[in-house]
Amino acid sequence: MESQSKLQIIYPYEEEGTPPHPHCPHGPTLLFKMPTVDGDEQIGAYYACSAHRDKHLCNFYMAVEEVTPKQLTRRYELEEYIAELKKQRRKLKNTHEGDKLHYCLDCNVPLLPEEQSDHSIHEIFRDVSENFMHNPTRFLRPLQNDKVQAQYFFDNRALNFFTNCFLDLGINKVVCIGAPRLHAHLRNTCHYVKSFLLDFDYRMFHFYDDCFAWYNMCNNHFFDDAQRQEFDEFLMCTPTEHIMIFTDPPFGCRTELIAGTLRQITRLYNAINQLPHQPLAIFWIFPYFSEHHVQQEMPHMRMCDYKVNYTNHTSYTNVGEKGRKLGSPVRVFTNIPLELLHLPIEEEYKYCASCQRYTALENRHCVKCNMCPSKNGSTYQHCDLCGCCVKPNYVHCKTCRRCTQAEEHECEMFQANQYCWICLQKGHTEFGCIEWRKHCKHTPFVGCSDKEIICLLCRRRGHNERNCTQRSKYLEEFKFLGSTQVKFKG
Ligand code: SAH
Ligand code: ZN
Ligand code: ZN
Ligand code: ZN
Ligand code: ZN
């Protein structure tokens, strides 16, 4: 099973009586450990920075056995640093009226005219206008110093799509986590929506006095207490206020961490508003190929066909030479029913009357699967041997019982990365499934077809075990912490 061989990353839930994690300058660290089979003492488990994988950016490392009570209470004061950032902000504001104001793009500091000389060999953005002050991501250099920080900004169509969704859904408060351009867009153009920005980019201090908190989304850590309190107040809602979380995390960020943070904020929202347990509406921007990881953490999240484009990413866009043939691979994952999202016809989406929702124009409805099956922006084709729709360039491998890339297919390697349609675990396909093998000792499987799939559970033709409507007759499924255990009945 996959999860048993993989390094586990434990999210630091701070207030829940779980053992605390030591802090680094970026807040509570993550616990990295190999899962043990029989609850053995952890060997080689350690704590490390939640935000930076790169040792040059944060070198915190502590083996579990090294942790002392003193280490656990140690906090890193960033007050002086924060005070300095806030001072820069005041400087910007005070000069804004009359004087010209500049911004050094190399040092990331605002400059008064007389301060320019120290930056003579740097690239300076001159005469920062009111408009740019309210739209910092339109002139700042995207932070890309680190895989984790990767800043990619939405194009205008994406911004409009999101704001139209908010309007349709009656959302009038948005928590923008790692979405500074959307935050600016909402503040500048959508007066019916209040927005609060949570971002790791310290430069946002230069542009916002309120509705911004310097924040780490990998551990739900606020660097500044005053900002944290302001955020708490933002979460407090009157009966006419409808709030949602919008997040566009760096794609290198682990889904466990994002999900942990989304849960923490939802919990805080419920506590502040004295609600029992109400889910918060979520838009989580992430690539389509991470669908499985997102759903493993948050099984109710569904992927919407809308392709999210960025202005500063050569392949996550539909424009320019390098734009991918199939368009951007980035999608919206949401717990809002997909039926409620209106995708723009003029951007090549259509309404599918059978699915009763909008899907991409190239995503042709399949009557056998009874859905619009495409995930990646191409037109899928139905394979009768797989019993489902597959990418158009795929060919069917009988050994694997799957369609797959024509070139460089190696059955063994391929199967190791598949999820079994019977037991739902990764690492084998159905004929290699131990559960099924145990079962078919009692009732040997007969009958195989060259033309059509035969379900190993119900023996009927035309669908696979995953899609079998009789599944629950044969299998008992126990869901626990995002994974499913499956056993044959009787
Ligand atoms: N498309 C968005 C920007 C997404 S880029 C927009 O146009 O508004 C990812 C954002 O996440 C960046 O702004 C980056 O500063 C922020 N970020 C990266 N790591 C983070 C972390 N650990 N915690 C919070 N924000 C983070
Ligand atoms: Zn189909
Ligand atoms: Zn096939
Ligand atoms: Zn094969
Ligand atoms: Zn069946």
Side-chain angles (χ1 to χ4, degrees), residues 151-154 178-182 199-200 215-217 248 250:
Q151 271 183 328
Y152 297 110
F153 299 121
F154 296 130
R181 181 168 285 182
L182 176 66
D199 203 286
F200 203 54
Y215 175 78
N216 181 355
M217 73 165 96
D248 187 10

Side-chain angles (χ1 to χ4, degrees), residues 429-440:
T429 51
E430 299 70 55
F431 288 135
C433 179
I434 297 169
E435 275 306 312
W436 181 69
R437 281 187 180 270
K438 273 195 257 165
H439 178 77
C440 58

Side-chain angles (χ1 to χ4, degrees), residues 397-402 404 409-412 414-415:
C397 171
K398 278 190 194 160
T399 317
C400 296
R401 264 179 121 230
R402 300 276 191 286
T404 171
H409 173 74
E410 265 193 56
C411 296
E412 207 168 307
F414 176 78
Q415 291 180 12

Side-chain angles (χ1 to χ4, degrees), residues 143-344:
L143 293 178
Q144 287 170 338
N145 56 345
D146 164 15
K147 286 188 283 288
V148 175
Q149 268 274 334
Q151 271 183 328
Y152 297 110
F153 299 121
F154 296 130
D155 74 355
N156 289 337
R157 287 174 154 203
L159 290 171
N160 285 333
F161 169 66
F162 298 138
T163 48
N164 286 336
C165 287
F166 303 154
L167 194 60
D168 286 344
L169 296 166
I171 298 290
N172 47 23
K173 264 184 165 182
V174 180
V175 180
C176 291
I177 311 178
R181 181 168 285 182
L182 176 66
H183 175 68
H185 182 73
L186 289 173
R187 270 172 79 105
N188 299 338
T189 66
C190 305
H191 300 291
Y192 49 89
V193 182
K194 290 184 198 150
S195 173
F196 199 106
L197 174 64
L198 303 177
D199 203 286
F200 203 54
D201 185 348
Y202 65 93
R203 298 173 303 182
M204 294 301 138
F205 271 107
H206 299 153
F207 305 96
Y208 299 113
D209 303 303
D210 61 345
C211 291
F212 161 67
W214 191 28
Y215 175 78
N216 181 355
M217 73 165 96
C218 300
N219 56 6
N220 187 34
H221 180 69
F222 289 78
F223 294 95
D224 181 65
D225 266 339
Q227 290 181 330
R228 173 201 273 270
Q229 272 171 30
E230 210 199 315
F231 179 65
D232 285 359
E233 281 160 34
F234 184 81
L235 283 185
M236 181 113 70
C237 289
T238 66
T240 56
E241 287 179 324
H242 304 290
I243 193 165
M244 79 174 292
I245 305 180
F246 182 104
T247 185
D248 187 10
F251 304 143
C253 192
R254 299 274 297 225
T255 48
E256 297 93 312
L257 307 181
I258 301 164
T261 287
L262 294 175
R263 278 192 276 273
Q264 289 293 81
I265 293 181
T266 305
R267 207 164 293 170
L268 181 64
Y269 164 80
N270 282 302
I272 286 177
N273 292 285
Q274 299 180 346
L275 295 164
H277 186 80
Q278 196 169 305
L280 270 181
I282 295 170
F283 268 20
W284 173 352
I285 312 303
F286 228 50
Y288 75 83
F289 44 78
S290 297
E291 182 182 27
H292 184 81
H293 290 281
V294 172
Q295 289 180 343
Q296 224 169 10
E297 291 301 320
M298 299 193 136
H300 44 284
M301 296 294 263
R302 292 289 168 270
M303 192 173 92
C304 161
D305 265 8
Y306 188 80
K307 301 185 189 87
V308 178
N309 288 305
Y310 298 88
T311 51
N312 60 326
H313 199 294
T314 47
S315 52
Y316 289 5
T317 172
N318 56 346
V319 290
E321 269 174 67
K322 285 195 187 156
R324 292 168 84 253
K325 209 169 71 223
L326 303 177
S328 166
V330 184
R331 301 288 185 273
V332 181
F333 290 86
T334 181
N335 53 1
I336 295 170
L338 295 180
E339 295 78 41
L340 301 182
L341 304 181
H342 297 237
L343 312 196

Side-chain angles (χ1 to χ4, degrees), residues 27-72:
T29 54
L30 306 176
L31 172 59
F32 294 80
K33 60 177 191 179
M34 293 303 286
T36 46
V37 190
D38 43 13
D40 273 354
E41 269 300 294
Q42 282 294 327
I43 307 159
Y46 62 92
Y47 296 99
C49 180
S50 65
H52 297 292
R53 297 289 185 79
D54 185 340
K55 299 250 166 357
H56 300 288
L57 296 169
C58 181
N59 64 2
F60 187 94
Y61 173 94
M62 193 176 287
V64 167
E65 350 26 293
E66 282 169 34
V67 178
T68 61
K70 196 164 156 233
Q71 277 294 349
L72 280 179

